[in-house]
Each structure stands twice: as structure tokens, then as C-alpha cells.
Amino acid sequence: MEAHGVTMGRSRFSRCRPNVRSKCCQNTLENTEQYPSVVVPTSLSSFLPGGQSAAKRMARERRRRAADAGPRAQEKGLLRSFAMKRTERPGATAASSSSWDLGRICGVLALASGALGCAAFAYGLYARWWLAARTVTLHPAPRLLGPNASGPGLSPDLFWGSYRPQVYFGMKTRSPRSLVTGLMWMHQLEGDIRLRHTCEQSDGLPRYGWLLHDGVHFGVQELRDVGLSLQTEFVKRPGGRHGGDWSWRVTARPERSGPQAPFVSLLFYVATDGQGALQPQVKEKSRMASLTGVTEELGHFTITFQPPTSETGTPLYASYNYLDAKAEGLHRLSDVVKASLAPRFSFAPPGAPKRRYFGVDTYRIAPGGVQPRSQLLIHQVTVSLPCRLEVVFESGSFSERTERLAGEALTGALDRHAAAFERRFEETFGLAAKGYSLQEQRFARAALSNMLGGMGYFFGRSLVQSPHAEQPQLYPEGPLFTAVPSRSFFPRGFLWDEGFHQLLVARWDPALSREVLAHWLDLMNAEGWIPREQILGDEARTKVPSEFLVQHSSAGNPPTLFLTLRQLLAQGQADGNFLRSIFPRLQSWYDWYNQTQTGPLPYTFRWRGRDQDTRLFLNPKTLTSGLDDYPRASHPSPDERHLDLRCWMAVVSAVMADVAARIEAPAEEYRRMAETLADNQLLDQHHWAEALGTFADYGNHTSAVALERERLRPPPPGQPLPSPRLLRIVRKPPALQFVGGALGYVSLFPLLLELLHPNSPRLGNLLADMRSEKKLWTPFGLRSLSRSSPFYLKHNTEHDPPYWRGPIWLNINYLAVRALHHYGQLEGPYREQASALYRQLRANLIGNVFRQYQESGYIWEQYNDSTGRGQGCYPFTGWSALVVLMMAEEY
């Protein structure tokens, strides 16, 4: 937390006033300057334990010892007392006692100064410890979700699910130490053994993703690999006390393109996570026909592996292997399988040549390795294509089961759920009624299904760095139920992404969105901060480079969950009980932004956490804004004013006012703040750059920067030639000014978040910039940065390609389409212009995303502004799935 702008002892609305400290606090700061990490906020006495009483005692002591209130009152009081003693000594003269008195005075002053310094140092250390402890202390308000809220007793329909987005196919329960199930497969091509398990872009699958998924009951997924394709299906059946039964069906077929796989190995696995026991039931030496197990959450259960058949039900020849092993954790399952494979097994169907194949054999943990915590059972089936296999989970507490959920019963259940899903989809989004083709409807259903099928349940601790602690600390352990941006590249929770995700989910299942919102808010700490990236558990950590594991408690993120809450309010899906339960946390979150992210002037804001090394970056990144390398002031400083954050805070203030009014809490301050931040004249004053003709950030800036190779002196003879780095050079010194050369998404925020008055001439300026092909307009959507910008498509470092410097992003384009629809409905001089742009931009976005899906098989992270081709990571069915809302015109 930065000392500048912190207003913990004042109203959350009194931002950016001069930081007036009491003399006591000032002295403390002066005596702790050699300890720069010790930060004593303005009103520390108001929130340190016992702080107010301590402050009062110190005030009384000052009054007692120093009646005159000057800056050196204590010293003057001491001098007067010594002068009185000198006059009281019989026979003493000034000349005879002056040297003795002066020495004594100096000694007393030295002792007093030392004592005061020690007290200040101790107080500073205590403050530092206390503030660091608050960073890893959860919010004091009652938790929104109780310890069993996700369990089978209170939420049986959601207990089991496809909550492992990082694997191609798997299921788990919403519990901290869940039993996990999953599928791996191997091509058995000659000399080319490829194990598939976790979603990896390096696997090069031509296509994979959910075709149908309702978020609760069932899902159908297509996985196309080289030489074969898989269709995975699951369906759940409620019953008993532990979440009911479920069944899988996996159908493998040869692919027409690429080398034909003569046979394939399908590996079904079940693993514990630190508790529970599994017992395999093996037949014919190597076929695990079933297993029995028991865990704390599931009680007793049975999993049956049906023999393979053709798609018409004809039994097929197969070879079997099984493995019963111990693993160091769930993140090591792939490693265990790879280490256990041996090529000594034969596949010899009747009338066909015998072929060698790799099968699971034995696995031993290396001596001195990590203590195993998982039991892993693997059932490997090696079979010719095409084939079909089924897996049936049956809960021991489900006593009223009439038939096993397999064969025709499974087919019937899947057909019923698929038909119900398609009916509900049309009732919710109405795409058939709008005239979309069957292919376009299937595309939209897949986009929604991948959002729902990509939701995960995670449990663990974040690693957090407080500015008041020297080393990162472990955050309290907890769960998170959330959607993820990308199953392959970002299979974890991101704070600002989630607000966009839930705009789509809330249209489909408002109750699901309310639960996701509650999970995120329960992660809030005592200061009102939420870690922006949730890396919970060993499986999640394996996907993140070590340098990005630590979350910094001074770093924010756009509070997009307020967009979700605003939508739930508009849909009538947030009742008073829900709002009252979340309101204390919303207040703290709102206060945190107003206390830690304020700008240099009243009603201005500044993202903390910008990169500070101005030599390495063409323009230091602002990861906390969500827009990463979007150009900001070239030289980060406390003088910056960030336009996008101000606009976010205007929306948040309006939502807070709405929520407060609905639950009859004081709302006037929130409403006043919302009106002030949306005031177009004040917005102009802080962010309209007349010389640039647009809205802009403000800061210490120069556009005259470039990356060049450093010139190195020749090394001494015999020494290797060092590699010159690419460093930034500044050709013109920076100055405090509006940030030029950065027309793009940030410039549009007053329009994107609908803060501009419909009669504002600024609206006309922004609409013209949007439609200009020399600036932001493309046939595929709005590019993130104007083609006229000196930063357009420029690398930020040697290895840091442009990210938000030209490519088209669907989340911001969704905001643009929604805002154009809004302004197209309002009376004003730009109504027709906004309406025309709405129709064109919406058509361009939908058309391009659909085309790229048809051509590539994926929805992408971003789209090339010159060709429209998908780029970045894939599949990216986080906020890019908002194309469904554009198709439905649901804003």
C-alpha cells in the first residue's frame, strides 16, 4: 500500500487531499526513513489495535510537558524547567553553572531523543507487522458461502462436474480434496507415441471443445487429433446423499486426414488427493473391470468400466493393462503414466497381424523423492477404430436406482438433455427467430458450452507480497468456483476476465453467476483487496512460470464484477438478501480503490504496479489495468491520471448507489460520487486533450522513444563477445502532458462505459475516430490502437510482441457494440451515426469470429486487425464468447 493518497482514517470519498499527518506520526516517519518498507499511514492510530487510546495518552503527555504548541514544544519545556532549577540553586551564578547545566541539558536531550527514536522504531516495526498481517487476513464480514455450501447436502446438482478445465476430459467434485477422474489417450503409430492428457497448444489438435454443455447436468465434446477423433459425453443422475451417479461415453473414430491410426489406447484413470482409498477389481490378469472406493465426501462408490463395442453395440477385441501406483500429487499424473510405459505388450485381434504397443506397466517413486499423496488407478484399453466405451459411477448411498446408466439408458438420457438444452438456448437467445443459419446456431451453442464447460473448482493458497513484508506470504486457504479464459493457456481464475465471463453466464443461469460472484468476494482480505490472478493448487501452479506466481497486494484490476452485478440487478436476479450479504464486502472493495488507487487531483485515479524499469521497455507495462502493454505515460510517476480507471470507478459508484438504495442503506455519497465522476465538464478538465482531439491519460510523457541495440565495448582478448541488449533510448525529455500517440481503447472509455451525454460533441469525436480506417476501424472489429500511433504493432521488448497495440479484442468490442446500441436509442445529434456504426460493427465482429471458427476450429484470444485471422492462445472461450450476446442483441 502506498503512503501517497492513503486516506484510511477519513471518509472513503475524501480522496487526494493533502496528506496532513499529526506531529506524532510525522516524527515516526522521520525516524524510520532508513527503513523504507515501514509505511505509517495518515490515520494509523484509528485502525491499529489500541491505537486511539495510545494516541490520547501521547496527546495528554504532550500537553502536560509542553504547554506552548510550537513545533519544538517539548524542547522548550525542558529548557524552561532547567532555567528554573538554575535560579533556585543557592549561591549559584550563571557563569559558574552554565557549562554544567549545558552539559546536563545536552545529555537529557540526547537520552530523550534516543528514547523517542527507539519508541518510533518499535512503533514502526509493530505497524509494519500489523499491516503485513492484514494482507493475509480474510475480510471480517461473515463468509457468503459456508463450509458446506458446495457440498452434496446443500448443492447436490453441482457437486460433480467437469471442473477440471486444464485436462481434455475429466471430472471432480466441488470439494477441497476431491476424487478426480479423467481420460488420457495415445496414438499407437509406429515410432510415434503421443500421450494426450492436459490441454496443450503444443499438441496441435486441429479442434477440440464442448459442443453442448448446460453447466449442470450433461456435456458433449469433440476432440480431433491427428489420425483420430474422439467424442466424449457425460450425464449425471441425481440420487442418494453424495451427489448421485454419472456415466461417460467415449467414441473414437478414424480421421480422414493425416496418418491413420490402426488402433488407439484409451486410459481411464481415478486418483485420490490426500485422502480416501481405491480397490481395483481385476479380471483376466490385466483387465480392471471395476473399482470400489471410499472418500470423506463420497462415502462408498463403485466405478465400472464397460467392455468396448462398436457404435452399434457389437463387442470388440481389446488388449488391457492396468496400473495401481502412488503419485506425488495430481499435478504428476502424466509423469507417472509416461514413466510406467513399456513397449512389451502385443495387440493381436483375430485374423490380423500381431502388433507391439506401449502399455502401463510398473512405476516406482525415486528414492528420496516427495512423499506420495495420491493413489492412482489406470484402466488402459487398446482397441481398433472405430470403437465406443462407457464408464459408470454409482454412489453407494443411491438405493433407489432402477437401472444402470449405460447403453440405451445412457443414450436416452443424453438425448433428453440435448433436446432440453437446445430448447432453452433458443428461449434465452432467440437466434433461430433472428434468422441465423443452423451452422451459426451450432457455433453459438458451442461458444456458450465452452464457457460453461470451462468452469473450474480450485482450492489452495495464493502467494502474496505485501509492501510491508520482506518476503511473500501464504494467503489463507480457500476455494474458488470460476470460469477460465483458456483451457490450454490460462486455466485459472482472473479477476477482470471474470466480470466479462459472467455477463454471458448470468443470461443463461443467474444462480450460477451469483455463486461465482460470492466465491470471488469471499477471497477478499481485511483491507478490501482481492488477488487478481488465482493460482490455487499444484495443478494450477504447473501452468504458471515461477516469476508470475506472486500476487502484489498493492495491485488492482478493473472491477468488472460490478458489470455482472449491474446485469443481475437489471434482470431482477439479485434479491435483498443476496445484496445485503455482499454489501459489506462491496463497500470494502470500493474503499480499497478509493484509498489505494487515487490520482494526484481530486476525482482522478492512477493504476499502481506499473513496470519501473524504463530502460528495458519501450513503454512500461500496466498489467494491473488489464490492458498490459497499452501505451501510457512513458515515464511512470505519481502525477499520472488514468482515464480508464476513472471511468470504471464512475460505473462502480453508480452500482454501489443502486445496491445501497435497494437495501435501504445510505446511498447519497455513492450517488454523489457517481454523478461527479460522470460529470462531462470535470471529465474534460482532467482528460480531454484539445491538441490531440481525444480523451487521454495524463503523465510524464514523451513519444520520442525507441528500442535500439546497446553499443558494447570490445571484450578483453580471449573473452566471449557479450550479446547486446535491446534498450530504450529517449530522444526528447519527457514532460507533464496528455499522453500523445495513444489513441485507442483507453481513449474510448467514456463512450464504452456510457458516461458521455448524448449531446456531447466529444461523442461525435469518438464516433468519428471509431469509424476512421486510418485509426480504429477494420472490417473485423475495432483495433486496440490507432494505426497512426508510434506504438502501433511495436514490440515492447526484444521478446515481448505487441499485445494491446493493434489486435482486435472481443471484450472491448462488446462494450463498444453495447454502447453504440445505447446511444442509438437516445435522442441527440449523434443518434443515427451511433445506430449505423452499431449495425456495421456488430456484423463485422460476428461474421469474422464465425468465419475463423469454421476455418480454424477455434474461438481465439484476439484477432489480427489486417487479416481478421485468430491469434494468441486458443481455445479462448472466455470473454471472446461474448459474441453470443452480440448475436442475441442482449446487452
Side-chain angles (χ1 to χ4, degrees), residues 634-839:
S634 60
H635 291 68
S637 74
D639 296 306
E640 287 183 80
R641 308 197 292 260
H642 291 141
L643 172 62
D644 52 334
L645 181 51
R646 177 205 173 96
C647 295
W648 284 121
M649 293 307 297
V651 170
V652 171
S653 300
V655 175
M656 288 295 294
D658 190 3
V659 173
R662 288 172 186 252
I663 62 174
E664 299 181 346
E668 187 54 38
E669 287 188 73
Y670 297 112
R671 188 173 295 111
R672 188 181 305 115
M673 177 65 84
E675 292 171 353
T676 302
L677 291 177
D679 180 273
N680 282 201
Q681 289 186 337
L682 189 60
L683 181 63
D684 277 5
Q685 180 181 331
H686 290 154
H687 287 287
W688 179 258
E690 189 65 40
L692 303 175
T694 190
F695 289 103
D697 287 343
Y698 182 89
N700 195 28
H701 181 67
T702 175
S703 295
V705 294
L707 292 176
E708 292 187 359
R709 293 284 176 193
E710 62 180 336
R711 296 175 181 175
L712 301 175
R713 294 180 179 178
Q719 295 293 322
L721 184 67
S723 299
R725 295 174 299 170
L726 201 63
L727 299 178
R728 184 174 85 165
I729 61 168
V730 179
R731 297 192 174 99
K732 181 180 178 182
L736 287 176
Q737 59 183 313
F738 287 108
V739 177
L743 174 66
Y745 285 169
V746 166
S747 315
L748 300 179
F749 258 82
L751 181 154
L752 298 176
L753 297 184
E754 302 169 14
L755 302 181
L756 294 178
H757 192 277
N759 294 322
S760 170
R762 310 306 186 209
L763 179 58
N765 289 98
L766 294 185
L767 293 176
D769 288 339
M770 289 173 68
R771 189 58 186 86
S772 171
E773 295 182 8
K774 294 182 179 179
K775 296 179 180 178
L776 304 179
W777 189 265
T778 81
F780 319 110
L782 298 177
R783 58 170 60 93
S784 46
L785 189 64
S786 171
R787 292 178 61 186
S788 62
S789 169
F791 298 98
Y792 173 66
L793 295 184
K794 289 290 196 303
H795 275 58
N796 205 40
T797 67
E798 183 173 7
H799 306 291
D800 194 2
Y803 202 46
W804 292 84
R805 296 184 179 181
I808 297 162
W809 292 81
L810 263 291
N811 62 329
I812 302 298
N813 273 271
Y814 169 78
L815 293 178
V817 167
R818 188 182 66 168
L820 291 171
H821 182 268
H822 167 77
Y823 286 111
Q825 305 297 312
L826 300 179
E827 290 293 337
Y830 308 106
R831 179 177 182 177
E832 292 302 320
Q833 186 180 0
S835 185
L837 282 179
Y838 165 73
R839 292 190 297 271

Side-chain angles (χ1 to χ4, degrees), residues 170-233:
M171 289 176 64
K172 64 178 291 188
T173 60
R174 297 200 306 168
S175 49
R177 299 288 178 258
S178 172
L179 183 81
V180 302
T181 59
L183 170 69
M184 305 181 196
W185 73 91
M186 288 189 296
H187 304 77
Q188 292 288 353
L189 295 171
E190 192 71 31
D192 186 13
I193 306 302
R194 305 176 187 177
L195 180 70
R196 309 297 199 204
H197 179 212
T198 57
C199 301
E200 306 290 346
Q201 290 189 188
S202 59
D203 286 346
L205 268 64
R207 180 191 294 262
Y208 71 92
W210 295 98
L211 304 177
L212 304 171
H213 198 304
D214 67 355
V216 179
H217 304 103
F218 92 114
V220 179
Q221 181 181 213
E222 178 187 41
L223 299 142
R224 291 188 186 174
D225 202 349
V226 178
L228 79 155
S229 67
L230 299 174
Q231 181 170 294
T232 65
E233 303 167 275

